[in-house]
Amino acid sequence: MQELFFAIVAGEASGDLLGADLVRSLKRVYPNAKFEGIGGPLMQAEGFVSHYNIERLSIMGFWDPFKRLGELLSIRRNIVKRYKTRKPLAYIGIDAPDFNLNIECELRRCDVKTVHYVSPSVWAWRQGRISRIKKGADLMLTLFPFESEFYRQHGMKERYVGHPIASKFPRFPNMGQARSILGLSSEIPVLTLMPGSRETEVELMAELFFDVAANVFSEKQDLVVLVPASNQCRYEQLSGLLSRRSQPYIKIILLGAREAMEASNVILLTSGTSSLEAMLLKKPMVVSYRLGMLTFAILSLLVKTPFIALPNLLSNKLLVPEFIQDAATSENLTAAVLELFNYPPERNLEDEFLALHDSLRLDSGMLAAAAIEELIQ
């Protein structure tokens, strides 16, 4: 009789959130199953056994993986060996495509059912990867509807499950309550900066965002600037950068990203999940991103999509301003932020955000669990 367990490997914090939601739902379908692999604190709180620290998979760009290539290859070999010998009901790779898809390819050849949760950005760049994805994954679980359409066009089994984050945000935010929690007056202008959750992102974006805050403060002397740090490491990194500047109106807070965003009038953020969260909170935002020069030069030749911000990708139009690489200057970002302060968007933008929110607000965990059960049976 096959042992009832699922092998799940999640990459970084966003994967941990998805993994915890999935484990909870799979427990309802398979109450006697166990769960193991690589996961973070949220997954472990659900009884998941992690064989490695999830932080070891938290990498970005082209060069970070090469710096830790030996370690990553060793972890991957051990996972493949473990689950070739002791086969799970399914191997579920959550995000981390460069790491997980290789494992999925090897395990699938050994008759292990394989699932990939969170589509790589194959619809946006390096579309030739679709052949490798089809070889590795029996099933692709997508967070966004435009991703499922892409896989259907390429004849791959997929299931759109919505985004679990969408269900964690109310349809109508409560700015007053968030400001009360943070001890902020209801009258003052608040700018929230989200320079990224990774060390490299903060290195590239934080000083630029601090410069923008200084420019906005020169126009609005009662401005309060909030900078939520995603963990203790980012808190120390941001505090170190701020300590070299004279900007007492900037407050770095450990965690509390949700409250900081909800309390704000405008959000300046690095492209990624935070743009989705700002959309779910129906907040005016300016989206920016910078990469290393060589990385950007390579990516600019490969990217097929006209947008980087998730609200723009979901709506297939420029709903929110975005500034990439050379366009991500202090002058450009300051002008865009001040325009949102001085001329708040009309109600129709909030309505568009609300419609996108509703399209994503599904029971993702149960939809994913049902698709996995169907695959196994």
Side-chain angles (χ1 to χ4, degrees):
M1 183 177 177
Q2 184 178 13
E3 184 180 1
L4 290 178
F5 80 100
F6 289 90
I8 306 176
V9 171
E12 64 187 53
S14 58
D16 186 34
L17 176 66
L18 295 171
D21 183 51
L22 179 59
V23 169
R24 276 193 298 272
S25 298
L26 283 170
K27 282 179 182 177
R28 293 164 64 181
V29 181
Y30 298 93
N32 297 320
K34 296 181 179 179
F35 303 87
E36 62 174 68
I38 302 178
L42 297 178
M43 293 170 68
Q44 292 173 44
E46 298 296 330
F48 183 88
V49 176
S50 186
H51 299 303
Y52 297 92
N53 189 325
I54 193 173
E55 287 289 328
R56 306 317 302 162
L57 301 188
S58 183
I59 53 179
M60 67 172 292
F62 284 106
W63 311 121
D64 281 3
F66 288 104
K67 296 175 186 177
R68 304 212 324 262
L69 184 60
E71 179 190 10
L72 292 170
L73 288 175
S74 175
I75 294 173
R76 195 171 72 192
R77 281 194 302 270
N78 289 340
I79 290 172
V80 170
K81 181 179 179 181
R82 180 189 296 268
Y83 298 125
K84 275 185 175 179
T85 305
R86 177 171 156 263
K87 294 182 179 179
L89 287 169
Y91 176 89
I92 304 164
I94 302 179
D95 212 354
D98 292 324
F99 185 84
N100 270 318
L101 283 169
N102 284 294
I103 296 173
E104 290 161 23
C105 284
E106 293 204 45
L107 292 181
R108 195 180 185 198
R109 285 196 292 267
C110 298
D111 296 322
V112 174
K113 297 292 186 183
T114 56
V115 179
H116 197 85
Y117 194 178
V118 183
S119 169
S121 300
V122 64
W123 40 268
W125 68 294
R126 289 171 58 200
Q127 294 191 356
R129 290 178 293 169
I130 186 64
S131 60
R132 178 165 163 259
I133 294 170
K134 291 173 71 173
K135 288 179 183 176
D138 289 299
L139 170 67
M140 176 65 69
L141 300 174
T142 70
L143 305 184
F144 303 113
F146 61 83
E147 296 174 326
S148 277
E149 176 60 27
F150 176 85
Y151 287 105
R152 282 195 295 273
Q153 291 173 359
H154 287 83
M156 182 173 177
K157 185 176 178 61
E158 52 70 37
R159 186 70 57 85
Y160 167 57
V161 300
H163 204 303
I165 289 179
S167 298
K168 299 183 182 299
F169 286 76
R171 296 180 78 243
F172 301 100
N174 190 331
M175 179 189 285
Q177 183 181 61
R179 290 196 173 198
S180 177
I181 291 171
L182 295 171
L184 298 173
S185 163
S186 61
E187 305 301 323
I188 59 171
V190 177
L191 170 65
T192 294
L193 307 179
M194 307 283 290
S197 60
R198 300 184 181 97
E199 180 180 3
T200 311
E201 287 176 330
V202 172
E203 286 176 2
L204 289 167
M205 303 303 297
E207 297 266 29
L208 171 63
F209 282 11
F210 290 161
D211 288 343
V212 174
N215 295 338
V216 176
F217 182 75
S218 69
E219 298 278 336
K220 297 182 175 295
Q221 295 292 309
D222 54 347
L223 180 74
V224 170
V225 180
L226 303 177
V227 188
S230 58
N231 54 48
Q232 185 65 38
C233 290
R234 295 295 77 74
Y235 180 85
E236 293 172 4
Q237 183 184 12
L238 287 162
S239 297
L241 293 171
L242 187 61
S243 68
R244 301 197 293 264
R245 308 169 69 102
S246 179
Q247 291 181 273
Y249 49 87
I250 296 180
K251 303 179 186 299
I252 299 174
I253 55 178
L254 181 59
L255 307 177
R258 165 78 171 272
E259 290 78 12
M261 296 172 81
E262 194 164 8
S264 63
N265 298 97
V266 179
I267 302 171
L268 172 60
L269 56 88
T270 296
S271 180
T273 305
S274 57
S275 68
L276 176 64
E277 294 172 345
M279 183 198 82
L280 296 173
L281 288 167
K282 323 302 181 297
K283 290 295 178 177
M285 73 186 86
V286 176
V287 180
S288 181
Y289 207 77
R290 279 179 173 176
L291 291 164
M293 290 179 61
L294 183 56
T295 301
F296 179 77
I298 295 170
L299 279 177
S300 62
L301 298 174
L302 301 173
V303 171
K304 304 295 184 183
T305 177
F307 307 118
I308 64 165
L310 280 169
N312 295 339
L313 286 167
L314 286 165
S315 62
N316 197 31
K317 60 184 176 182
L318 192 68
L319 276 185
V320 302
E322 53 180 54
F323 299 90
I324 309 166
Q325 205 65 8
D326 293 341
T329 65
S330 174
E331 293 77 16
N332 286 344
L333 296 178
T334 299
V337 169
L338 281 172
E339 183 171 357
L340 289 177
F341 269 113
N342 296 329
Y343 305 101
E346 296 179 0
R347 176 70 193 180
N348 64 343
L349 181 64
E350 291 185 21
D351 291 341
E352 294 213 48
F353 284 172
L354 185 60
L356 292 173
H357 189 167
D358 289 340
S359 73
L360 298 173
R361 200 178 190 190
L362 308 176
D363 190 345
S364 303
M366 285 308 300
L367 288 171
I372 292 168
E373 180 188 25
E374 180 182 306
L375 175 69
I376 291 170
Q377 291 179 346

